[in-house]
Amino acid sequence: MKVTYARAIGDALKEEMRRDEKVIVYGEDVAEFGNIFGVTRGMLEEFGPKRIRNTPITETAIVGSAIGAAETGLRPCIELMYSDFTLVAFSEIFHCVAKWRYMHGPQYKIPLVIRNASGSSNGAGPEHSNCVESLFMHAPGLTIITPSCPYDAKGLLKSAIRSDNPVLFCEPKLLYQTKQEIPDEVYQSDYTIPIGLADIKRPGKDVTLIAVGLMVPRALEAAEKLQTEGIDVEVIDPRTIAPLDKDTIYNSIRKTHRAMVVEES
């Protein structure tokens, strides 16, 4: 079956909500409207207003309330719509979400996922087109994930929701309608992808290209063109920005002795 990136994220949310009644979803326009990109469409009818609901445009309150919900036993998966809006709640995310988990260790579990649409899109403008991973990746205690394809998006979101650590889950906007062929038996299984494990999307021997999010399919396209010129490119998708799988990256560089990093921002 061919699956879009947006559908993969929506299916992951639905599967986790069916599996665990403690999973709740709320944020800006996620209920009746079904998310500005249609990701949560139909979920209000299935799960009802107690488990999926709209919020006011108050990012600090959205994140702050989600911290409390996570600490009292729920598993909130909230949406701030655009990645740019995480900056409105920067203090909540950096100081409270991340540091509380990091400082208190096993005393505090914060099973919280903060979803956001990141990067450029058609006409969204400079205040709705940022990539924020680099701003948050130095916050101790915060996991940061940026999937590059539907298969990874579904498996990583399911892992993020099941994690006891807070996760910033960045979804490149220009990937939402991209499609990937995934066998039915694989897609419909309850598969997850380990957090913190990079994926070698294309093996090669001449140069290591580390690409993030939207840049992964573009890197693969470039690698195919370079192959015609006799240059064999290895493309690595970190998938998780924090924690970063340095071993996979270093092992590749030891082989190729050359490295490039390509990311959308």
Side-chain angles (χ1 to χ4, degrees):
M1 61 189 298
K2 281 193 173 183
V3 181
T4 66
Y5 190 98
R7 177 183 170 180
I9 293 169
D11 285 348
L13 289 170
K14 292 173 188 174
E15 289 178 15
E16 291 305 296
M17 292 181 79
R18 293 169 189 148
R19 188 186 67 85
D20 186 351
E21 64 181 11
K22 293 180 180 178
V23 178
I24 58 173
V25 173
Y26 62 91
E28 295 158 346
D29 283 336
V30 299
E32 288 84 358
F33 192 61
N35 166 277
I36 193 171
F37 298 101
V39 171
T40 57
R41 196 166 294 153
M43 290 176 61
L44 177 63
E45 290 77 8
E46 178 174 353
F47 299 104
K50 287 187 176 181
R51 296 189 64 198
I52 178 165
R53 62 176 62 189
N54 293 330
T55 64
I57 305 174
T58 52
E59 286 81 10
T60 300
I62 296 170
V63 175
S65 64
I67 298 170
E71 288 183 344
T72 54
L74 296 175
R75 291 187 172 271
C77 186
I78 61 173
E79 181 182 314
L80 299 186
M81 192 179 287
Y82 290 108
S83 61
D84 315 69
F85 303 164
T86 61
L87 303 184
V88 179
F90 188 91
S91 181
E92 291 287 333
I93 297 171
F94 189 90
H95 287 296
C96 301
V97 172
K99 287 186 180 178
W100 286 359
R101 176 58 170 155
Y102 181 76
M103 291 188 301
H104 299 289
Q107 293 176 300
Y108 273 38
K109 292 182 179 180
I110 305 182
L112 165 61
V113 178
I114 303 170
R115 292 183 47 247
N116 60 90
S118 69
S120 60
S121 64
N122 299 318
E127 295 177 356
H128 292 70
S129 302
N130 281 290
C131 299
V132 299
E133 293 96 330
S134 63
L135 295 175
F136 286 101
M137 67 182 293
H138 306 291
L142 186 65
T143 298
I144 303 174
I145 298 174
T146 304
S148 67
C149 63
Y151 178 84
D152 288 354
K154 184 182 180 186
L156 285 166
L157 183 53
K158 289 169 73 71
S159 293
I161 292 171
R162 298 181 192 188
S163 173
D164 287 332
N165 298 313
V167 178
L168 185 66
F169 198 88
C170 302
E171 304 161 8
K173 300 186 198 74
L174 290 179
L175 290 179
Y176 275 131
Q177 297 309 313
T178 60
K179 294 182 179 181
Q180 181 181 19
E181 187 70 45
I182 305 173
D184 289 5
E185 62 274 14
V186 174
Y187 187 77
Q188 294 170 4
S189 67
D190 184 27
Y191 78 91
T192 59
I193 294 174
I195 292 172
L197 183 64
D199 187 30
I200 301 174
K201 297 295 188 189
R202 184 187 191 277
K205 65 180 190 302
D206 293 329
V207 59
T208 299
L209 203 163
I210 304 131
V212 178
L214 176 64
M215 295 297 104
V216 174
R218 298 188 181 187
L220 290 169
E221 182 180 350
E224 291 303 313
K225 292 180 179 179
L226 288 168
Q227 188 68 53
T228 64
E229 301 177 20
I231 301 171
D232 193 18
V233 180
E234 181 151 291
V235 178
I236 295 179
D237 178 2
R239 299 195 291 198
T240 304
I241 310 301
L244 183 65
D245 182 1
K246 295 179 182 179
D247 288 343
T248 296
I249 295 170
Y250 291 166
N251 288 339
S252 177
I253 295 171
R254 289 187 187 102
K255 175 178 63 176
T256 65
H257 303 289
R258 301 176 182 87
M260 292 180 61
V261 177
V262 185
E263 44 99 17
E264 187 179 352
S265 63

